[in-house]
Amino acid sequence: MSQETYLTGITTTGTPHIGNYVGAIRPSVDSSKDRSRRNFYFLADYHSLAKAEDPERIHRSGLEVAATWLACGLDTDNAVFYRQSDIPEIPELTWILNGVTAKGLMNRAHSYKAQVQANEESGSSDPDKGIIMALYNYPILMAADILMFKATKVPVGRDQKQHMEMTRDIAQRFNHRYGDLLVIPDAEINEHTAVLSGLDGRKMSKSYDNIIPLFSDEKKLRKLIMKIKTNSLEPGEPKETEGSTLFEIYKAFATEDEVRDIEKRYADGIAWGEMKQVLFEYINEHIKPARNEYNRLINDPAIVEQELVKGAERARELSVPYLREIRHAIGIRKLG
Ligand code: TRP
């Protein structure tokens, strides 16, 4: 069997939280060390334009996201770690893919449709009110990210399934018209990866404002964990682990033996205050070395920049000649 190429993008909006860590960062860092496959990880900074965020926020988020991945141990000798905007071939390929992408396909994108629906529900006379092309074209840029490096496997969350189907559709149309130049990728959606709940018990998400930033300092981490919602059972009363956010988060970090021990303490009626203390100490110890490294990198962004420059050089060794081939195939080439 030929070697698999794994590729995944991380949007640079917001500060990485423990839900991101468990769901995406930790599995990807493990994967980056696997020498049997090629790995590409990149900061999807042009994708951040779909949300029209503040420039300073986007810039800061890029640093935070990159520093987080590096601090968590991403193997940048094995994996290629780069910034999307350092690869000019990606937006070029995006434009080329525009030539084979049906507008109707984009009309069906969930995130676009959600905004149209919101406009309709608010009684607006224009269903496209406030919708920018960077949102509408988002799936085409994502397709270019993936197709640029001939990815065969794309590990993503369930919410990205439709984007992956669109990528395959776009690539197939291209190949049909111009010859088999693009590699058709598969999504890899891991159903077993834990999805963590946030402070209020809903899914941990920046948009619900219920996150625990991965590298909060000790004081902040303690404060946030103390805020996690519990039920009103008293100390000494047996408690269910099922549906307990404290337990769920603990389980995502601890070993099987440790989890079994905590299950017993739930049955014995551990007080919520005590469980919060246990969880705080556990996470705090677990992330301490990476947090020190994170703080070092945040205070010395030139180190992070250097890593990204190294990654971009490696990435462009592939993207430059490949884009030349693609342009040739579509008839954009020198005259003589
Ligand atoms: N859209 C993805 C997300 O929001 C991020 C992303 C951009 C991506 N380009 C990608 C993921 C390419 C995988 C492959 O999570």
Side-chain angles (χ1 to χ4, degrees):
M1 227 194 78
S2 67
Q3 199 184 24
E4 296 280 11
T5 299
Y6 278 70
L7 175 143
T8 204
I10 310 109
T11 34
T12 51
T13 43
T15 300
H17 56 70
I18 64 173
N20 299 140
Y21 175 71
V22 168
I25 301 170
R26 190 170 61 186
S28 300
V29 166
D30 289 345
S31 175
S32 75
K33 296 175 181 148
D34 184 341
R35 303 208 167 250
S36 71
R37 50 167 85 151
R38 273 189 296 264
N39 280 293
F40 293 84
Y41 296 101
F42 69 96
L43 306 178
D45 53 353
Y46 272 142
H47 274 110
S48 66
L49 294 179
K51 296 203 184 112
E53 287 229 30
D54 163 47
E56 285 315 312
R57 191 62 213 123
I58 288 179
H59 182 246
R60 173 73 189 181
S61 173
L63 172 62
E64 288 178 353
V65 171
T68 298
W69 285 69
L70 294 171
C72 289
L74 190 78
D75 181 347
T76 61
D77 290 324
N78 192 42
V80 186
F81 182 53
Y82 56 99
R83 179 167 43 202
Q84 183 186 41
S85 59
D86 283 341
I87 318 296
E89 293 73 29
I90 294 174
E92 279 189 66
L93 181 57
T94 304
W95 186 254
I96 292 171
L97 296 178
N98 269 320
V100 292
T101 304
K103 178 169 176 284
L105 184 70
M106 295 301 102
N107 288 342
R108 291 193 284 278
H110 297 317
S111 46
Y112 168 66
K113 274 179 33 184
Q115 294 221 13
V116 170
Q117 198 186 343
N119 281 336
E120 281 165 355
E121 279 165 8
S122 73
S124 167
S125 58
D126 178 7
D128 281 328
K129 182 162 179 255
I131 299 178
I132 52 177
M133 289 305 290
L135 174 85
Y136 191 71
N137 280 337
Y138 185 108
I140 312 177
L141 178 58
M142 179 158 161
D145 290 331
I146 296 167
L147 300 170
M148 187 82 261
F149 295 103
K150 304 183 184 175
T152 56
K153 287 263 184 285
V154 182
V156 282
R158 297 192 62 81
D159 60 327
Q160 297 298 312
K161 199 167 163 226
Q162 189 195 34
H163 287 150
M164 287 307 302
E165 282 157 10
M166 290 175 159
T167 298
R168 291 169 57 91
D169 188 315
I170 293 168
Q172 273 153 356
R173 276 170 180 257
F174 181 97
N175 284 353
H176 183 70
R177 183 146 155 208
Y178 299 112
D180 279 340
L181 220 52
L182 302 180
V183 174
I184 313 296
D186 283 310
E188 189 178 76
I189 296 165
N190 189 345
E191 308 283 351
H192 302 294
T193 310
V195 177
L196 294 192
S197 304
L199 301 177
D200 57 359
R202 290 186 294 173
K203 179 184 167 196
M204 191 179 291
S205 162
K206 190 176 70 122
S207 34
Y208 294 147
D209 198 17
N210 64 358
I211 67 163
I212 301 177
L214 177 59
F215 294 129
S216 316
D217 66 35
E218 241 176 86
K219 225 174 117 196
K220 177 92 190 288
L221 181 65
R222 176 192 294 273
K223 207 172 136 200
L224 289 173
I225 288 177
M226 295 303 151
K227 274 198 198 160
I228 293 174
K229 205 173 137 197
T230 61
N231 60 27
S232 55
L233 290 176
E234 298 286 337
E237 287 186 79
K239 298 175 174 63
E240 297 281 342
T241 52
E242 182 80 33
S244 161
T245 301
L246 291 169
F247 178 77
E248 186 194 277
I249 298 177
Y250 185 81
K251 190 172 172 212
F253 284 87
T255 66
E256 277 179 32
D257 283 349
E258 289 163 338
V259 171
R260 229 169 287 130
D261 184 51
I262 285 294
E263 280 168 347
K264 190 168 170 311
R265 292 178 72 183
Y266 264 67
D268 291 345
I270 187 173
W272 288 131
E274 194 180 339
M275 183 56 204
K276 287 180 172 177
Q277 184 63 25
V278 168
L279 181 64
F280 161 69
E281 280 168 16
Y282 198 95
I283 295 188
N284 193 45
E285 277 310 305
H286 184 89
I287 64 167
K288 208 176 253 175
R291 182 170 55 206
N292 291 339
E293 177 62 5
Y294 176 79
N295 288 331
R296 183 180 80 93
L297 294 173
I298 290 288
N299 291 318
D300 197 350
I303 304 175
V304 179
E305 183 62 30
Q306 216 172 23
E307 283 287 354
L308 293 171
V309 168
K310 171 180 102 178
E313 276 170 14
R314 289 172 66 197
R316 292 199 73 205
E317 280 170 23
L318 302 165
S319 62
V320 170
Y322 190 34
L323 190 78
R324 206 178 294 134
E325 259 182 84
I326 293 170
R327 284 172 44 150
H328 192 272
I330 64 170
I332 308 275
R333 39 179 123 113
K334 285 206 172 30
L335 297 178

